[in-house]
Amino acid sequence: MIVVDEAQRAYAPQYFETLTYFTPRLILGSTGTKERLDGKDIGDIFGESILPLPLEEAIARGMLAQLDYRLIVDDLDESKLEKLGKRKQLFRTDIDQRLFIPQRDEQIVQYILKAEEELDDPHTLIFSKNIKACERFAAVLPNSHAYHSSISRSERDVCLDLFRRRMINRLVSVDAF
């Protein structure tokens, strides 16, 4: 039997290669977001959904923690990216260097601190795009710690325990939950 959490990633090369290498008698996928941007249907791998449950209903049933979800989106001038792309091959680092700048990090920190003021007992989990950004952002956000797959298991266990006991108010995470 193979059980896959975050099953929406099943078509990613490293997942798909593993899933197609084995011939299990049973394969089970779990995901809260079965839709993929590339339009591929994970049902082709896992079969029909046996418990389709929208996020809102899972929270209402007490199956998931209540959350206050906020998304910060940058206004991106796509014309500048198009010009950059015409001059040379466009790499993710080219975009990152223009979007992820220290001043913007400070603005996001201020937004988070202000948003937390609206909550009775804020306990904040921030998802980051990669380990480098996770480490950088945890360094500028007060009373926060980076929590990612490159940190040892024992260190992550301690960090998570401190977060649960509210000795750390904020975790900045990538590829670890």
Side-chain angles (χ1 to χ4, degrees):
M1 171 169 53
I2 296 177
V3 178
V4 180
D5 189 22
E6 299 294 333
Q8 76 277 5
R9 298 180 178 178
Y11 279 106
Q14 62 274 34
Y15 278 66
F16 193 72
E17 185 178 315
T18 302
L19 293 173
T20 55
Y21 177 83
F22 296 101
T23 53
R25 289 190 358 208
L26 177 64
I27 185 166
L28 174 68
S30 171
T31 183
T33 53
K34 76 177 221 170
E35 291 77 24
R36 292 179 47 89
L37 293 176
D38 62 11
K40 292 181 179 175
D41 183 2
I42 64 171
D44 294 341
I45 295 173
F46 300 102
E48 189 176 330
S49 294
I50 57 173
L51 182 61
L53 188 63
L55 179 64
E56 307 81 35
E57 189 175 336
I59 291 171
R61 288 186 185 184
M63 299 169 81
L64 299 171
Q66 293 290 327
L67 58 95
D68 180 350
Y69 183 84
R70 305 198 186 192
L71 178 64
I72 299 171
V73 179
D74 287 307
D75 291 326
L76 179 62
D77 184 348
E78 292 182 26
S79 66
K80 289 181 182 176
L81 288 178
E82 288 171 9
K83 289 176 190 172
L84 179 64
K86 289 177 185 172
R87 287 187 294 162
K88 62 179 182 175
Q89 185 176 0
L90 187 60
F91 294 100
R92 174 172 271 167
T93 54
D94 295 320
I95 298 169
D96 290 350
Q97 288 172 354
R98 285 155 181 79
L99 289 181
F100 301 102
I101 54 176
Q103 295 87 348
R104 186 156 299 132
D105 286 350
E106 290 299 327
Q107 290 171 340
I108 294 170
V109 164
Q110 292 308 312
Y111 178 84
I112 290 169
L113 296 176
K114 186 172 184 305
E116 287 179 339
E117 289 175 4
E118 300 171 14
L119 305 172
D120 292 330
D121 185 22
H123 210 57
T124 307
L125 180 58
I126 297 122
F127 293 99
S128 193
K129 69 181 196 94
N130 61 38
I131 290 173
K132 183 178 176 184
C134 175
E135 291 279 349
R136 186 186 70 239
F137 198 72
V140 298
L141 183 64
N143 194 18
S144 68
H145 285 268
Y147 187 87
H148 53 73
S149 56
S150 291
I151 296 173
S152 73
R153 178 42 123 186
S154 60
E155 190 176 345
R156 278 188 287 169
D157 289 346
V158 168
C159 189
L160 192 54
D161 182 57
L162 292 172
F163 184 69
R164 285 180 175 139
R165 292 192 292 144
R166 302 205 182 283
M167 296 174 78
I168 295 173
N169 293 339
R170 302 170 188 95
L171 284 184
V172 183
S173 177
V174 63
D175 294 336
F177 279 102

Tab-separated table of all heavy atoms in Angstrom, residues 76-99:
chain	number	residue	atom	x	y	z
A	76	LEU	N	2.589	43.103	-9.545
A	76	LEU	CA	3.695	42.795	-10.436
A	76	LEU	C	3.458	43.449	-11.788
A	76	LEU	O	2.414	43.247	-12.411
A	76	LEU	CB	3.799	41.266	-10.594
A	76	LEU	CG	4.881	40.731	-11.497
A	76	LEU	CD1	6.261	41.123	-10.967
A	76	LEU	CD2	4.776	39.215	-11.569
A	77	ASP	N	4.406	44.237	-12.226
A	77	ASP	CA	4.322	44.871	-13.532
A	77	ASP	C	4.848	43.880	-14.568
A	77	ASP	O	6.060	43.747	-14.763
A	77	ASP	CB	5.138	46.162	-13.541
A	77	ASP	CG	5.006	46.927	-14.851
A	77	ASP	OD1	4.479	46.356	-15.831
A	77	ASP	OD2	5.434	48.091	-14.885
A	78	GLU	N	3.939	43.170	-15.215
A	78	GLU	CA	4.324	42.121	-16.148
A	78	GLU	C	5.075	42.670	-17.361
A	78	GLU	O	5.871	41.965	-17.969
A	78	GLU	CB	3.091	41.330	-16.584
A	78	GLU	CG	2.511	40.512	-15.454
A	78	GLU	CD	1.309	39.693	-15.887
A	78	GLU	OE1	1.209	39.362	-17.092
A	78	GLU	OE2	0.487	39.369	-15.024
A	79	SER	N	4.850	43.927	-17.710
A	79	SER	CA	5.556	44.491	-18.870
A	79	SER	C	7.062	44.545	-18.607
A	79	SER	O	7.860	44.335	-19.518
A	79	SER	CB	5.020	45.882	-19.211
A	79	SER	OG	5.318	46.805	-18.169
A	80	LYS	N	7.454	44.811	-17.359
A	80	LYS	CA	8.885	44.828	-17.025
A	80	LYS	C	9.469	43.426	-17.137
A	80	LYS	O	10.598	43.249	-17.552
A	80	LYS	CB	9.105	45.398	-15.626
A	80	LYS	CG	8.856	46.881	-15.551
A	80	LYS	CD	9.108	47.424	-14.169
A	80	LYS	CE	8.791	48.904	-14.126
A	80	LYS	NZ	8.929	49.456	-12.780
A	81	LEU	N	8.698	42.439	-16.748
A	81	LEU	CA	9.175	41.060	-16.873
A	81	LEU	C	9.303	40.675	-18.343
A	81	LEU	O	10.238	39.983	-18.725
A	81	LEU	CB	8.235	40.090	-16.156
A	81	LEU	CG	8.271	40.141	-14.640
A	81	LEU	CD1	7.253	39.155	-14.066
A	81	LEU	CD2	9.647	39.824	-14.106
A	82	GLU	N	8.347	41.126	-19.162
A	82	GLU	CA	8.412	40.819	-20.587
A	82	GLU	C	9.671	41.434	-21.206
A	82	GLU	O	10.368	40.785	-21.974
A	82	GLU	CB	7.164	41.339	-21.294
A	82	GLU	CG	5.917	40.544	-20.970
A	82	GLU	CD	4.646	41.194	-21.500
A	82	GLU	OE1	4.731	42.174	-22.272
A	82	GLU	OE2	3.557	40.713	-21.126
A	83	LYS	N	10.000	42.676	-20.818
A	83	LYS	CA	11.205	43.325	-21.338
A	83	LYS	C	12.447	42.572	-20.887
A	83	LYS	O	13.372	42.357	-21.653
A	83	LYS	CB	11.271	44.778	-20.865
A	83	LYS	CG	10.254	45.672	-21.519
A	83	LYS	CD	10.306	47.069	-20.930
A	83	LYS	CE	9.135	47.904	-21.412
A	83	LYS	NZ	9.049	49.177	-20.716
A	84	LEU	N	12.462	42.161	-19.638
A	84	LEU	CA	13.589	41.408	-19.113
A	84	LEU	C	13.732	40.085	-19.864
A	84	LEU	O	14.823	39.682	-20.231
A	84	LEU	CB	13.407	41.148	-17.613
A	84	LEU	CG	14.495	40.359	-16.915
A	84	LEU	CD1	15.817	41.128	-16.936
A	84	LEU	CD2	14.090	40.079	-15.477
A	85	GLY	N	12.608	39.435	-20.112
A	85	GLY	CA	12.618	38.157	-20.823
A	85	GLY	C	13.123	38.277	-22.249
A	85	GLY	O	13.703	37.337	-22.781
A	86	LYS	N	12.933	39.436	-22.882
A	86	LYS	CA	13.397	39.633	-24.261
A	86	LYS	C	14.911	39.817	-24.306
A	86	LYS	O	15.549	39.490	-25.288
A	86	LYS	CB	12.701	40.841	-24.880
A	86	LYS	CG	11.229	40.576	-25.173
A	86	LYS	CD	10.548	41.808	-25.705
A	86	LYS	CE	9.052	41.515	-25.872
A	86	LYS	NZ	8.303	42.702	-26.209
A	87	ARG	N	15.479	40.344	-23.231
A	87	ARG	CA	16.925	40.577	-23.213
A	87	ARG	C	17.720	39.308	-22.983
A	87	ARG	O	18.807	39.145	-23.454
A	87	ARG	CB	17.283	41.586	-22.120
A	87	ARG	CG	16.875	42.998	-22.474
A	87	ARG	CD	17.404	43.956	-21.465
A	87	ARG	NE	16.736	43.668	-20.188
A	87	ARG	CZ	17.175	44.067	-19.020
A	87	ARG	NH1	18.287	44.738	-18.925
A	87	ARG	NH2	16.516	43.789	-17.934
A	88	LYS	N	17.185	38.410	-22.194
A	88	LYS	CA	17.892	37.171	-21.868
A	88	LYS	C	16.885	36.159	-21.374
A	88	LYS	O	15.713	36.475	-21.193
A	88	LYS	CB	18.950	37.427	-20.797
A	88	LYS	CG	18.372	37.929	-19.466
A	88	LYS	CD	19.465	38.125	-18.450
A	88	LYS	CE	18.839	38.573	-17.127
A	88	LYS	NZ	19.810	38.677	-16.072
A	89	GLN	N	17.345	34.979	-21.155
A	89	GLN	CA	16.445	33.959	-20.608
A	89	GLN	C	16.012	34.391	-19.210
A	89	GLN	O	16.824	34.851	-18.418
A	89	GLN	CB	17.154	32.613	-20.548
A	89	GLN	CG	16.232	31.498	-20.109
A	89	GLN	CD	16.916	30.144	-20.150
A	89	GLN	OE1	18.073	30.036	-20.501
A	89	GLN	NE2	16.198	29.121	-19.769
A	90	LEU	N	14.756	34.262	-18.904
A	90	LEU	CA	14.204	34.702	-17.629
A	90	LEU	C	14.262	33.562	-16.621
A	90	LEU	O	13.709	32.487	-16.850
A	90	LEU	CB	12.759	35.162	-17.826
A	90	LEU	CG	12.077	35.807	-16.642
A	90	LEU	CD1	12.837	37.050	-16.197
A	90	LEU	CD2	10.653	36.183	-16.994
A	91	PHE	N	14.966	33.780	-15.527
A	91	PHE	CA	15.079	32.790	-14.471
A	91	PHE	C	14.293	33.255	-13.257
A	91	PHE	O	14.073	34.455	-13.063
A	91	PHE	CB	16.551	32.589	-14.067
A	91	PHE	CG	17.387	31.974	-15.158
A	91	PHE	CD1	18.209	32.762	-15.945
A	91	PHE	CD2	17.339	30.610	-15.386
A	91	PHE	CE1	18.981	32.200	-16.940
A	91	PHE	CE2	18.102	30.035	-16.387
A	91	PHE	CZ	18.928	30.827	-17.166
A	92	ARG	N	13.905	32.309	-12.434
A	92	ARG	CA	13.178	32.636	-11.202
A	92	ARG	C	13.973	33.632	-10.357
A	92	ARG	O	13.412	34.530	-9.753
A	92	ARG	CB	12.896	31.362	-10.408
A	92	ARG	CG	12.268	31.662	-9.053
A	92	ARG	CD	11.819	30.423	-8.373
A	92	ARG	NE	10.457	30.222	-8.829
A	92	ARG	CZ	9.777	29.113	-8.669
A	92	ARG	NH1	10.317	28.100	-8.069
A	92	ARG	NH2	8.541	29.009	-9.097
A	93	THR	N	15.304	33.491	-10.314
A	93	THR	CA	16.109	34.416	-9.515
A	93	THR	C	15.988	35.849	-10.026
A	93	THR	O	16.055	36.787	-9.242
A	93	THR	CB	17.593	33.994	-9.493
A	93	THR	OG1	18.054	33.837	-10.841
A	93	THR	CG2	17.793	32.708	-8.716
A	94	ASP	N	15.812	36.023	-11.356
A	94	ASP	CA	15.612	37.371	-11.899
A	94	ASP	C	14.358	38.009	-11.313
A	94	ASP	O	14.350	39.173	-10.937
A	94	ASP	CB	15.478	37.328	-13.428
A	94	ASP	CG	16.745	36.865	-14.114
A	94	ASP	OD1	17.833	37.263	-13.674
A	94	ASP	OD2	16.625	36.107	-15.090
A	95	ILE	N	13.300	37.222	-11.254
A	95	ILE	CA	12.036	37.714	-10.701
A	95	ILE	C	12.194	37.955	-9.200
A	95	ILE	O	11.799	39.001	-8.681
A	95	ILE	CB	10.897	36.710	-10.969
A	95	ILE	CG1	10.696	36.553	-12.484
A	95	ILE	CG2	9.603	37.171	-10.303
A	95	ILE	CD1	9.800	35.405	-12.865
A	96	ASP	N	12.784	36.994	-8.507
A	96	ASP	CA	12.946	37.104	-7.054
A	96	ASP	C	13.735	38.351	-6.663
A	96	ASP	O	13.399	39.031	-5.697
A	96	ASP	CB	13.648	35.869	-6.479
A	96	ASP	CG	12.776	34.635	-6.522
A	96	ASP	OD1	11.561	34.772	-6.817
A	96	ASP	OD2	13.300	33.536	-6.276
A	97	GLN	N	14.781	38.668	-7.417
A	97	GLN	CA	15.593	39.833	-7.094
A	97	GLN	C	14.798	41.128	-7.218
A	97	GLN	O	15.102	42.116	-6.573
A	97	GLN	CB	16.827	39.896	-7.992
A	97	GLN	CG	17.850	38.844	-7.641
A	97	GLN	CD	18.978	38.780	-8.656
A	97	GLN	OE1	18.950	39.443	-9.689
A	97	GLN	NE2	19.980	37.979	-8.345
A	98	ARG	N	13.774	41.119	-8.048
A	98	ARG	CA	12.960	42.320	-8.225
A	98	ARG	C	11.769	42.364	-7.262
A	98	ARG	O	11.261	43.422	-6.962
A	98	ARG	CB	12.488	42.413	-9.671
A	98	ARG	CG	13.625	42.846	-10.576
A	98	ARG	CD	13.444	42.397	-11.998
A	98	ARG	NE	14.560	42.805	-12.837
A	98	ARG	CZ	15.736	42.199	-12.881
A	98	ARG	NH1	15.979	41.156	-12.117
A	98	ARG	NH2	16.692	42.623	-13.674
A	99	LEU	N	11.328	41.204	-6.790
A	99	LEU	CA	10.169	41.158	-5.912
A	99	LEU	C	10.528	41.078	-4.428
A	99	LEU	O	9.886	41.694	-3.601
A	99	LEU	CB	9.291	39.942	-6.244
A	99	LEU	CG	8.519	39.989	-7.540
A	99	LEU	CD1	7.706	38.719	-7.683
A	99	LEU	CD2	7.603	41.190	-7.577
